[in-house]
Amino acid sequence: MAPRLQLEKAAWRWVETVKPEDIGREHIELAYRVNVPACKRGACRRNCKGNPNCLVGIGEQAWLGEIDENAFHNIDDPNSERRDKNTFVGLTNLGATCYVNTFLQVWFHNLELRRSLYLCHNSRAQEHNIDSDYEPQSICEHLQYLFALLQNSNRRYIDPSGLVKALGLDTGQQQDAQEFSKLFLSLLEDTLSKQKNPSLQNVIQEQFCGQFSYVTVCNQCGRASPLPSRFYELELNIQGHKNLTECVTEFLKEEKLDGDNRYFCESCQSKQNATRRIKLHSLPRTLNLQLMRFVFDRQTGHKKKLNTFISFPEQLDMGPFLEGKQDQKCVYELSAVLIHRGVSAYSGHYIAHVKDARTSDWYKFNDEEIEKMEGKKLQLGIEEDIAETVKTQARKPKCSKGYHCSRNAYMLVYKVQEEENVEPSRNIVAVPAFLQRLVDRDNHKFEEWCTEMADMRKQSVDKGKAKHEEVKELYELLPARDGQPYEFVPLEWLKKWLDDSTATKEIDSSLFLCSHGKLHPDKVGDAKRVSLPAAQLLYQRYGGGPRLDDSSLCKDCVGQRCRVLRLKNQLNEDYREVSNLVKRTLSGEGYWVGKASLRSWRQLALEQLEEDEQETKHSNGQTNGRGPHSTNNKEYGPELPEGNEEVMKTFNEEILCSHGGLSILEAERRLVSSEVWTKLRAYFPKAPEFTQHQEPCSQCLTLEQEEKDNEAVSKMMAQDQKNQLLNLFQEKNRPTLTKWPQGTDVLYIVPLFFVDEWKKFIRRPTKSSPVSSVGNSLLLCPHGGFMFTYDSLLGGDAQHIALLWPSEWDVISRLFIVDQPISIHCSSHTTPTGSTTQYSTQPELCWECREGFIFQQQRDLREYTQATIYVRKVIEDKRMIKEAVPEMNASSSEAEEEREEPPKVDGERDPDFSQSEDGAKRVKLSDGTTAAASGPVPVTNVVKPGGIRRSTRHRKLRGEKALIVSANQTLKELKIQIMHAFSVAPFDQNLSIDGKCLTDDSATLGSLGVIPESIICLKADEPIADYAAMDDVYQVGMPEEGFKGTGLLGH
């Protein structure tokens, strides 16, 4: 099918030969495209919006043919949430709680621990009303209920949020898994010790607790000093080792105590060289071996992960490491491996490989997902395929039979090897009846949920099948036959009717009406022509209206459009004729026409015709009380510019002055012949008309002469003021406060803004307004006191003022209105110790306002947001990288900018300005106080010794970069910004400001004295080789708090 634009042009091609009064039924049907051939299925990739008979691509594809019933709903099969037979139950990851889930699964598979927990007294569960939800309170109660659900729940996975909440853990922050293991077992031991059943009080010790002693032997006297201790896990250093035996050997190896680390011997009563080692005395039934993968890096100040391969056996003989008690069982079997995926200590994912004590099968527990290993063997698999960030990726060593190798295992759990003739009943742990009641209730709730989901799926499927039958029935009826009755239905409604995801509303055709209450010709592309039987069924089932049949084709709109289009065609001919006529030499009487109007007259005429055409568009019409609706018609004529405020609106308006006469600007108009004016006048009957003999506006001529006279006066005034204040204008022989000038004991003060505005007038007297008043009240507080001291002016407050000689002040007093003279006096006094010089101001300093000024200034420096600071890199010899010239990318016109006057400040829009009661503007000074002002005070210039004004804009040097910071930002966050700017890792950064080192990463920039425009010096150390630590820096946003404030620490 032809594109929409071609269809619309074809619909109106007949207007070239048919006048509006000759329009017949066939022309109306052409305009509404009633007889355009319908598209066949497969011929269109998408629906033809320009063709009202195209019913392809409106969403019918999803309904024609056979449909899988699963397409009628978006509800997952509830049975996918059901636990598979002969498998275990997973645990939901609540955000970053995978480390909790792994340990819970390991402890659940410790049958002795599970059996003991089930024996714990729980009156709340035993007495609980099964009609309400059970909410455990203590840690034991939570763990009991959780283990019972893990054992007998029908769900594929359960939610551990009750236990996590009871422990007070932050579900969004990943914690140290090894620390969690220690703290939780300690908490559980303390809880079980309070049980009345004696067999439960020492469960944790019996399962996990062993004994060793630190033995120190004096080299002088040979005296051995043992220090007994208990352990719940052995923390093994893996750095520099390849297998578990090496790690255990190092843990037990002898340590020499000499030098400053000598041992005080009780026998010798003095410090002596000695040796110290750990002796293992007894081992627990469950031996937890912590592989110390997460270590503290002194260079970075943070933890990092050691991705070292460690080999460990399935069967571990601890006999060689045990001291005495040879009757102990020392052979252990591997029962669990806890894995940390990832290269960083602050991110990654925890999973567990656990051996089923009953079947000896290995399972991988990954939160909700549980996978059984094939062949009853431990298979670490993908856990060892995590890519390293360091360039030198270690190769996985070969493992002997019965051994495994991992660079991600951080904890190994071994259990004492059981004798072969152990009773099978020892591996069976039954859930107590009081807990099974609660599990049954949860299973009942789960089954109800499954039934509810299945019913919802069935309802959706039944509804979809009914809709399928309806669509197949109606879609066959939709096409309108030639010569048969038809109606127009909105295309968007048909699409929504065929879109099963949205509810079908009633048919609304009101937006398609023209001002005459019929179907607008421009809206036919957004409607579809359907057969009368199909329309009747749709309106019968869904309602709506108004209905648009063949009598709704609007003859009035078609006639008006015909008239406008014919005029547009005539416009092109007239444009060519006028273009030729204006090139001819003018003879006879002429008419004044604006040059801009003459250049764009066709566009202006087209706009006029478009306005006439809009009268028939429904965007300007209202029917039955309905509001206007937007439309778009760009098919005929060029697109008109949008959003241009300077586009001409009325022909010849630019030669019409404000008094209604002919403009005095002859360059903006030209003469055209009467023949040209006649043609233009036909298009613009209301345009202003000026003959060749029309005189320009006399009022405008008078104003022009007055303006020339005023410019001459301004030039004379500027030259006179410049001659009288030449040194002030040229900034020569200026007085300074750093070295009081001889020959005078008084200097006068005016705002620097007054001097800048005055210089602007002197430079451009015809472009700038003359300065009439000094406005010294700007430098005074509301009480009339001066705002600055002599010392503060020396310290930088001089950026607000300009100093004048007494003779210059006399001139300024004559030339300008002075609201309040301000002077600074120097007086010498002779004392017994010598002469002293004192400085005073008139008016005197207002101490109250001055203290407020300083307080606000200091507060602003501490509470800034989005301020600029500069970081300057320091080279090896500790000299700053300074250059004689600014960076090459700095503005090449800086010097010129400094010579030019500062930009004007719009007082009405500047938030630093407020209106005082007397109507005078008040400007906020840098300290936040206000003062009455005749104008704003720019702070872009300062008076420096010698009286030369300089720009205060920071000139960036090579090796220096600007950063945007806030006062409440930490030094740690600043270091990360610097890392991105200079490619220097935070742990390689040595920062200082004004010679003071910045070391506290947790301190805010405001507390460290970093203020806007500060320059921070950066000295970079040599980078370390382990760039994996960079990942740790990205992950740590704040100092570690560990389990502070959680239930694991008794809070």
Side-chain angles (χ1 to χ4, degrees):
M1 178 53 65
R4 182 178 183 179
L5 185 61
Q6 295 181 20
L7 288 172
E8 293 183 357
K9 286 187 175 181
W12 297 95
R13 193 170 290 129
W14 53 269
V15 301
E16 299 174 2
T17 57
V18 179
K19 296 180 180 179
E21 56 270 19
D22 297 333
I23 291 176
R25 180 69 184 182
E26 68 276 12
H27 303 121
I28 297 175
E29 290 186 349
L30 281 172
Y32 282 92
R33 303 165 225 173
V34 171
N35 298 315
V36 175
C39 300
K40 296 182 179 180
R41 291 193 64 191
C44 301
R45 286 183 295 178
R46 58 178 180 269
N47 184 257
C48 304
K49 290 190 68 175
N51 182 4
N53 298 316
C54 178
L55 296 172
V56 179
I58 60 176
E60 79 287 350
Q61 303 92 333
W63 298 98
L64 302 181
E66 296 301 322
I67 304 177
D68 183 0
E69 66 176 29
N70 289 325
F72 293 132
H73 65 81
N74 58 355
I75 303 172
D76 293 333
D77 184 3
N79 289 316
S80 64
E81 301 295 306
R82 190 182 300 279
R83 176 183 184 177
D84 293 333
K85 189 176 181 180
N86 295 326
T87 188
F88 291 103
V89 177
L91 291 165
T92 304
N93 190 335
L94 305 176
T97 57
C98 51
Y99 70 98
V100 178
N101 292 346
T102 56
F103 278 106
L104 290 176
Q105 293 287 9
V106 170
W107 293 328
F108 171 76
H109 282 79
N110 188 313
L111 301 185
E112 291 82 0
L113 177 61
R114 196 197 316 173
R115 184 181 292 111
S116 300
L117 278 172
Y118 285 162
L119 294 175
C120 289
H121 178 68
N122 188 345
S123 58
R124 183 178 288 102
Q126 293 171 347
E127 300 169 2
H128 177 71
N129 184 356
I130 202 168
D131 295 330
S132 60
D133 291 335
Y134 171 60
E135 296 182 359
Q137 299 295 323
S138 69
I139 298 300
C140 267
E141 292 174 3
H142 276 288
L143 211 54
Q144 264 187 343
Y145 185 47
L146 191 69
F147 279 7
L149 288 173
L150 286 174
Q151 185 166 338
N152 287 342
S153 176
N154 291 346
R155 302 177 187 268
R156 189 166 65 87
Y157 52 84
I158 59 176
D159 185 353
S161 57
L163 174 63
V164 171
K165 185 177 180 181
L167 292 173
L169 300 179
D170 182 355
T171 58
Q173 183 177 1
Q174 195 170 84
Q175 296 282 14
D176 187 324
Q178 295 169 338
E179 186 181 1
F180 169 75
S181 172
K182 295 177 190 177
L183 293 175
F184 189 86
L185 285 179
S186 175
L187 179 64
L188 192 58
E189 179 183 18
D190 180 64
T191 305
L192 291 174
S193 67
K194 299 173 184 177
Q195 288 286 321
K196 296 180 180 180
N197 188 342
S199 63
L200 300 179
Q201 295 175 355
N202 298 316
V203 169
I204 300 299
Q205 293 184 24
E206 292 170 358
Q207 279 296 313
F208 303 104
C209 184
Q211 288 187 342
F212 61 61
S213 60
Y214 294 95
V215 181
T216 306
V217 179
C218 176
N219 290 355
Q220 182 67 26
C221 67
R223 179 178 182 270
S225 302
L227 179 63
S229 181
R230 296 188 306 175
F231 68 89
Y232 291 84
E233 65 275 311
L234 297 181
E235 298 181 349
L236 305 180
N237 175 37
I238 64 171
Q239 199 160 12
H241 300 306
K242 297 180 180 178
N243 56 60
L244 187 61
T245 302
E246 292 180 5
C247 298
V248 177
T249 302
E250 190 206 7
F251 180 75
L252 301 174
K253 78 175 182 178
E254 188 175 87
E255 175 189 5
K256 292 183 177 180
L257 304 178
D258 53 15
D260 294 338
N261 199 27
R262 287 184 301 169
Y263 165 71
F264 183 84
C265 178
E266 294 290 343
S267 297
C268 301
Q269 286 297 305
S270 62
K271 283 190 175 184
Q272 299 292 339
N273 291 341
T275 58
R276 175 178 294 168
R277 63 183 291 254
I278 295 175
K279 290 185 179 183
L280 286 176
H281 300 301
S282 65
L283 298 173
R285 295 184 57 80
T286 301
L287 180 61
N288 292 330
L289 300 180
Q290 298 275 16
L291 304 182
M292 305 302 290
R293 290 204 176 273
F294 307 115
V295 297
F296 182 77
D297 188 343
R298 292 185 178 180
Q299 288 184 294
T300 65
H302 298 288
K303 287 191 300 184
K304 70 175 182 179
K305 181 182 178 184
L306 300 177
N307 294 287
T308 305
F309 278 107
I310 293 295
S311 171
F312 50 91
E314 290 186 2
Q315 191 175 83
L316 176 65
D317 184 4
M318 291 294 291
F321 305 108
L322 205 60
E323 300 282 341
K325 296 187 180 180
Q326 298 302 324
D327 56 336
Q328 276 197 65
K329 293 180 180 179
C330 302
V331 180
Y332 287 79
E333 289 183 344
L334 185 66
S335 66
V337 180
L338 280 74
I339 298 289
H340 173 266
R341 292 180 182 175
V343 296
S344 168
Y346 295 98
S347 62
H349 183 58
Y350 291 92
I351 64 172
H353 291 259
V354 184
K355 184 178 181 181
D356 183 6
R358 296 178 296 111
T359 64
S360 296
D361 291 327
W362 279 92
Y363 291 83
K364 179 169 75 174
F365 292 86
N366 183 7
D367 293 330
E368 298 91 346
E369 303 299 326
I370 298 174
E371 179 184 354
K372 182 181 179 182
M373 300 291 103
E374 298 295 333
K376 296 191 176 184
K377 290 184 179 180
L378 172 62
Q379 300 171 26
L380 297 180
I382 195 174
E383 280 71 51
E384 301 308 318
D385 297 333
I386 306 299
E388 299 278 2
T389 57
V390 292
K391 295 181 180 178
T392 57
Q393 189 170 354
R395 296 181 59 184
K396 182 177 181 179
K398 294 182 179 180
C399 293
S400 304
K401 186 177 181 181
Y403 282 79
H404 298 279
C405 195
S406 172
R407 64 178 168 197
N408 288 316
Y410 69 92
M411 182 172 175
L412 306 175
V413 180
Y414 284 90
K415 289 187 178 179
V416 170
Q417 191 176 50
E418 299 288 349
E419 298 177 1
E420 294 182 359
N421 57 355
V422 173
E423 295 181 10
S425 60
R426 286 195 59 185
N427 290 333
I428 299 175
V429 180
V431 177
F434 72 93
L435 287 175
Q436 186 60 45
R437 256 186 347 120
L438 302 175
V439 173
D440 291 341
R441 183 180 186 279
D442 183 76
N443 288 338
H444 179 69
K445 288 175 59 179
F446 174 69
E447 296 301 333
E448 287 182 339
W449 175 83
C450 289
T451 303
E452 182 183 351
M453 290 297 104
D455 290 343
M456 290 176 62
R457 279 165 60 100
K458 185 177 183 306
Q459 291 175 10
S460 297
V461 169
D462 293 343
K463 181 181 177 182
K465 288 181 177 179
K467 182 69 173 284
H468 186 202
E469 294 301 322
E470 175 189 349
V471 170
K472 286 199 297 185
E473 173 194 357
L474 282 175
Y475 189 75
E476 296 298 326
L477 291 175
L478 281 181
R481 312 294 180 197
D482 293 339
Q484 297 296 319
Y486 59 84
E487 289 192 23
F488 285 93
V489 177
L491 171 60
E492 285 304 313
W493 185 91
L494 286 173
K495 287 183 175 180
K496 291 180 179 180
W497 171 61
L498 293 169
D499 182 4
D500 191 46
S501 64
T502 59
T504 305
K505 300 180 179 179
E506 66 176 19
I507 304 172
D508 182 9
S509 304
S510 60
L511 302 180
F512 289 39
L513 302 181
C514 66
S515 58
H516 311 104
K518 297 186 177 183
L519 177 62
H520 195 284
D522 287 341
K523 281 297 181 181
V524 71
D526 296 320
K528 293 300 174 185
R529 193 172 72 98
V530 302
S531 67
L532 181 61
Q536 287 177 337
L537 281 174
L538 290 175
Y539 277 105
Q540 179 181 349
R541 294 182 183 179
Y542 298 102
R547 298 178 66 165
L548 303 173
D549 55 15
D550 56 354
S551 65
S552 299
L553 308 185
C554 185
K555 182 177 180 180
D556 293 335
C557 288
V558 174
Q560 178 67 4
R561 178 69 60 82
C562 176
R563 185 187 70 81
V564 171
L565 293 178
R566 288 177 63 83
L567 283 175
K568 286 184 178 180
N569 294 335
Q570 183 66 33
L571 174 63
N572 293 329
E573 296 180 12
D574 288 344
Y575 177 75
R576 287 192 293 270
E577 188 173 352
V578 168
S579 298
N580 292 328
L581 289 174
V582 295
K583 296 176 183 177
R584 298 177 185 177
T585 305
L586 181 64
S587 61
E589 186 178 8
Y591 291 84
W592 289 110
V593 175
K595 291 181 179 179
S597 294
L598 193 60
R599 284 194 300 267
S600 58
W601 79 268
R602 181 171 63 168
Q603 178 177 317
L604 293 172
L606 190 61
E607 289 178 1
Q608 184 63 48
L609 291 174
E610 291 286 357
E611 289 180 7
D612 294 341
E613 187 177 9
Q614 287 293 333
E615 293 179 3
T616 67
K617 288 184 179 290
H618 73 287
S619 60
N620 288 334
Q622 296 185 0
T623 305
N624 298 331
R626 302 183 187 274
H629 306 287
S630 61
T631 187
N632 187 15
N633 185 34
K634 298 182 180 179
E635 287 76 21
Y636 298 93
E639 280 194 42
L640 303 180
E642 298 178 2
N644 187 352
E645 297 178 353
E646 297 182 0
V647 172
M648 184 140 340
K649 296 300 181 184
T650 307
F651 186 82
N652 248 8
E653 68 175 4
E654 74 271 31
I655 66 172
L656 188 69
C657 76
S658 59
H659 311 106
L662 180 62
S663 170
I664 63 176
L665 301 176
E666 294 187 14
E668 293 183 0
R669 49 187 164 93
R670 63 168 292 181
L671 287 171
V672 298
S673 65
S674 58
E675 187 176 2
V676 171
W677 178 250
T678 301
K679 287 189 174 294
L680 296 176
R681 185 75 173 177
Y683 286 95
F684 309 106
K686 298 180 181 179
E689 179 179 305
F690 298 106
T691 63
Q692 181 179 358
H693 306 292
Q694 179 73 41
E695 293 293 334
C697 176
S698 58
Q699 291 177 273
C700 291
L701 290 173
T702 302
L703 292 174
E704 182 185 33
Q705 185 60 44
E706 291 178 357
E707 186 176 347
K708 290 180 180 179
D709 295 342
N710 290 338
E711 288 181 358
V713 172
S714 295
K715 288 180 180 179
M716 292 175 57
M717 181 188 302
Q719 187 61 43
D720 178 55
Q721 292 180 4
K722 179 180 178 182
N723 292 337
Q724 295 189 62
L725 299 169
L726 186 60
N727 284 346
L728 179 61
F729 178 74
Q730 296 178 346
E731 294 188 355
K732 293 181 178 179
N733 188 27
R734 305 311 308 147
T736 65
L737 296 178
T738 53
K739 185 178 180 181
W740 189 272
Q742 297 181 354
T744 182
D745 58 356
V746 61
L747 294 175
Y748 288 86
I749 294 175
V750 294
L752 189 61
F753 172 72
F754 160 75
V755 176
D756 290 336
E757 290 296 308
W758 173 73
K759 287 181 179 179
K760 192 186 300 182
F761 168 69
I762 298 300
R763 290 190 187 101
R764 299 174 183 175
T766 60
K767 301 293 183 182
S768 304
S769 301
V771 180
S772 59
S773 62
V774 174
N776 264 352
S777 58
L778 180 67
L779 303 177
L780 304 178
C781 74
H783 311 112
F786 192 48
M787 284 296 297
F788 309 106
T789 65
Y790 174 78
D791 292 334
S792 73
L793 292 174
L794 290 178
D797 283 341
Q799 62 182 349
H800 300 291
I801 67 161
L803 292 174
L804 303 178
W805 297 101
S807 58
E808 292 173 334
W809 175 252
D810 292 340
V811 173
I812 284 178
S813 299
R814 293 197 312 271
L815 297 178
F816 306 101
I817 299 172
V818 179
D819 52 357
Q820 173 67 54
I822 302 177
S823 57
I824 184 168
H825 301 262
C826 174
S827 57
S828 298
H829 300 278
T830 303
T831 63
T833 58
S835 62
T836 60
T837 303
Q838 293 184 345
Y839 300 93
S840 60
T841 60
Q842 187 63 38
E844 294 181 353
L845 177 72
C846 178
W847 283 107
E848 179 182 354
C849 292
R850 177 65 187 173
E851 288 175 358
F853 176 95
I854 295 172
F855 175 78
Q856 183 66 32
Q857 199 173 41
Q858 292 174 347
R859 193 180 73 174
D860 289 346
L861 291 177
R862 292 194 306 269
E863 299 179 359
Y864 58 88
T865 57
Q866 298 296 304
T868 302
I869 65 168
Y870 300 91
V871 179
R872 190 174 294 173
K873 199 169 183 183
V874 177
I875 56 178
E876 280 305 315
D877 59 0
K878 299 187 179 180
R879 289 182 295 105
M880 281 188 239
I881 302 177
K882 293 186 178 179
E883 301 291 338
V885 294
E887 286 187 305
M888 295 302 293
N889 61 357
S891 172
S892 60
S893 61
E894 286 187 13
E896 180 182 349
E897 290 175 4
E898 290 174 13
R899 288 195 300 271
E900 291 183 358
E901 62 275 13
K904 287 183 179 179
V905 179
D906 188 348
E908 295 179 358
R909 288 175 293 184
D910 194 324
D912 284 348
F913 283 83
S914 59
Q915 198 71 22
S916 61
E917 294 181 2
D918 57 359
K921 285 183 180 177
R922 303 184 69 83
V923 61
K924 183 188 290 185
L925 303 176
S926 61
D927 66 328
T929 60
T930 57
S934 59
V937 175
V939 292
T940 54
N941 300 297
V942 297
V943 177
K944 294 198 174 181
I948 301 176
R949 183 163 52 90
R950 300 295 184 203
S951 170
T952 58
R953 182 175 58 183
H954 182 86
R955 305 189 77 170
K956 202 163 63 171
L957 305 179
R958 290 195 183 104
E960 179 179 294
K961 294 186 179 180
L963 300 179
I964 303 298
V965 298
S966 300
N968 59 357
Q969 185 175 324
T970 64
L971 182 63
K972 179 73 174 182
E973 293 167 335
L974 173 63
K975 286 185 175 181
I976 293 176
Q977 283 184 264
I978 294 174
M979 177 177 68
H980 291 297
F982 289 90
S983 298
V984 178
F987 40 80
D988 290 330
Q989 298 174 19
N990 294 303
L991 305 180
S992 62
I993 180 171
D994 298 331
K996 173 188 172 184
C997 292
L998 305 178
T999 56
D1000 187 355
D1001 285 354
S1002 62
T1004 63
L1005 299 187
S1007 65
L1008 293 173
V1010 179
I1011 62 175
E1013 304 294 321
S1014 292
I1015 299 176
I1016 294 179
C1017 296
L1018 163 66
K1019 182 180 182 302
D1021 292 336
E1022 287 296 322
I1024 62 174
D1026 184 11
Y1027 286 98
M1030 292 282 283
D1031 184 57
D1032 295 341
V1033 174
Y1034 279 113
Q1035 297 295 333
V1036 181
M1038 59 182 63
E1040 271 193 275
E1041 293 190 358
F1043 294 98
K1044 179 181 178 181
T1046 69
L1048 292 169
L1049 295 177
H1051 296 294

